[in-house]
Amino acid sequence: MRKLVILCAAMLGIVTCMAQTVIDNFNVGPYIVDYNGQGDVKYRLRDNIDLYEFFELKMDTTVVVETNEIPISHAIAISGNVGANRFASKEIGLEGVWKQHLNRNLYFNGGLSLSFGLTNYGKNASDRSMIEIGVPLQLELGKLNHQSASLYGAVGLTPAAYATLSAENVVDGERTDGIKKSGFLIAPSLDFGGNIPVGSTILRIGVYAKFKVNCTPGDFDVYTKGGAGRMFLGARIGFVL
C-alpha cells in the first residue's frame, strides 16, 4: 500500500510539472505559432483559412519574385569582329564605344572603329586590301546589368573613311597594279547577341550584318567593281567594362 501511494504521488508530480510549462500561442497572418522558447517554434495554418481568399488572389495568379537588377548607366564596350562576303571578301576589325543609358532598356552607343578588308579571288585573280576608320553610332535595346544574363539588339550607322592599301589585277596571267582609291562610306548595321556577367565585367557575344555604301563619286567603286564587297555577315565578341 505504501509503495502504491508513493507511485501515485510521483505521477501526480510529473503531471503537475508538465501542466506548468507555458506555451505561447499567437496568430501571424494565416498561421498559428506555438512558441515554447528560443529555438522551439512550431506553426500551422489556421482552421478554415483559404490562402487565395486571405491574400485576395485568383486561382491563376502567378507570383513573380523581383530581383534587384540595377541597369548600368554608362560603360565602355570593346569588341572584335570577323566577317565575310558571299564572294571572296573578308574583314576583321576592332571597335570601342561609349554606352549611355537613355531610358529603361535603351542605350546610345558612340565610338571609334578600325577595320581591315581583304579580297583574294585566287592565284589567277585580283587581290585588294582595304582599311576603314569609322565612327559607329547605334541605338541598343536590352538589359545591361551585372545581376543577370540577357539578350540585346542594336541598329546603327557608321560613317567611315576608307583607303586602299594594295590592289593587284591579273591580265594575261601577269599581275599588274590595280586602281587604288580613297574616300568615304556609310555602313548601316544590325547586331544581335547576348550579355553574360563575368565578375566585374560583362562578356558580349553576338552576330552582325553590315552593308557598305560608297559615298565617293567616280566611275570606279572599289566595293562593287573593285571587289572589296558590300554586304558582310559575321560574329562579334567583346567585353563591357
Side-chain angles (χ1 to χ4, degrees):
M1 184 67 179
R2 182 178 179 182
K3 293 182 178 180
L4 180 61
V5 172
I6 294 174
L7 179 61
C8 291
M11 293 180 63
L12 182 62
I14 294 173
V15 172
T16 304
C17 291
M18 293 180 62
Q20 291 178 350
T21 302
V22 179
I23 300 177
D24 289 332
N25 302 100
F26 47 87
N27 295 337
V28 178
Y31 298 96
I32 297 176
V33 177
D34 297 333
Y35 183 71
N36 301 327
Q38 186 175 3
D40 189 2
V41 179
K42 298 179 181 179
Y43 59 90
R44 63 188 182 277
L45 190 66
R46 288 157 51 190
D47 294 337
N48 301 320
I49 289 293
D50 187 309
L51 291 180
Y52 285 99
E53 293 180 358
F54 187 88
F55 291 108
E56 298 182 354
L57 301 175
K58 296 182 179 179
M59 294 295 292
D60 59 349
T61 299
T62 301
V63 179
V64 178
V65 179
E66 295 185 355
T67 58
N68 295 324
E69 296 182 347
I70 303 174
I72 295 176
S73 58
H74 50 77
I76 296 175
I78 300 174
S79 63
N81 66 277
V82 291
N85 186 272
R86 67 188 183 97
F87 297 108
S89 305
K90 305 175 184 65
E91 71 171 6
I92 182 170
L94 292 172
E95 181 179 282
V97 297
W98 172 265
K99 308 177 72 66
Q100 179 61 50
H101 186 221
L102 298 180
N103 183 29
R104 300 193 60 167
N105 298 326
L106 186 63
Y107 287 82
F108 172 77
N109 304 333
L112 189 66
S113 65
L114 176 64
S115 179
F116 295 93
L118 174 64
T119 302
N120 187 342
Y121 285 99
K123 182 177 180 181
N124 298 318
S126 61
D127 296 338
R128 179 177 295 275
S129 59
M130 307 286 296
I131 183 173
E132 299 167 1
I133 301 176
V135 180
L137 306 172
Q138 303 168 342
L139 283 177
E140 178 183 318
L141 184 63
K143 293 182 179 180
L144 190 62
N145 57 66
H146 292 285
Q147 287 74 41
S148 62
S150 62
L151 297 177
Y152 74 88
V155 58
L157 191 69
T158 303
Y162 70 83
T164 303
L165 297 178
S166 64
E168 292 183 349
N169 296 329
V170 177
V171 180
D172 297 331
E174 295 184 0
R175 287 192 171 273
T176 61
D177 291 337
I179 300 176
K180 296 182 179 180
K181 290 196 66 175
S182 301
F184 296 92
L185 64 86
I186 293 179
S189 63
L190 290 173
D191 285 72
F192 178 79
N195 299 311
I196 306 173
V198 180
S200 60
T201 64
I202 297 176
L203 174 65
R204 168 165 287 201
I205 302 175
V207 294
Y208 73 92
K210 181 190 298 183
F211 187 79
K212 300 178 181 180
V213 180
N214 187 8
C215 300
T216 302
D219 296 333
F220 185 80
D221 187 343
V222 294
Y223 291 96
T224 54
K225 295 181 181 181
R230 301 181 71 184
M231 181 68 184
F232 287 84
L233 299 176
R236 189 187 305 277
I237 184 170
F239 292 92
V240 179
L241 306 177

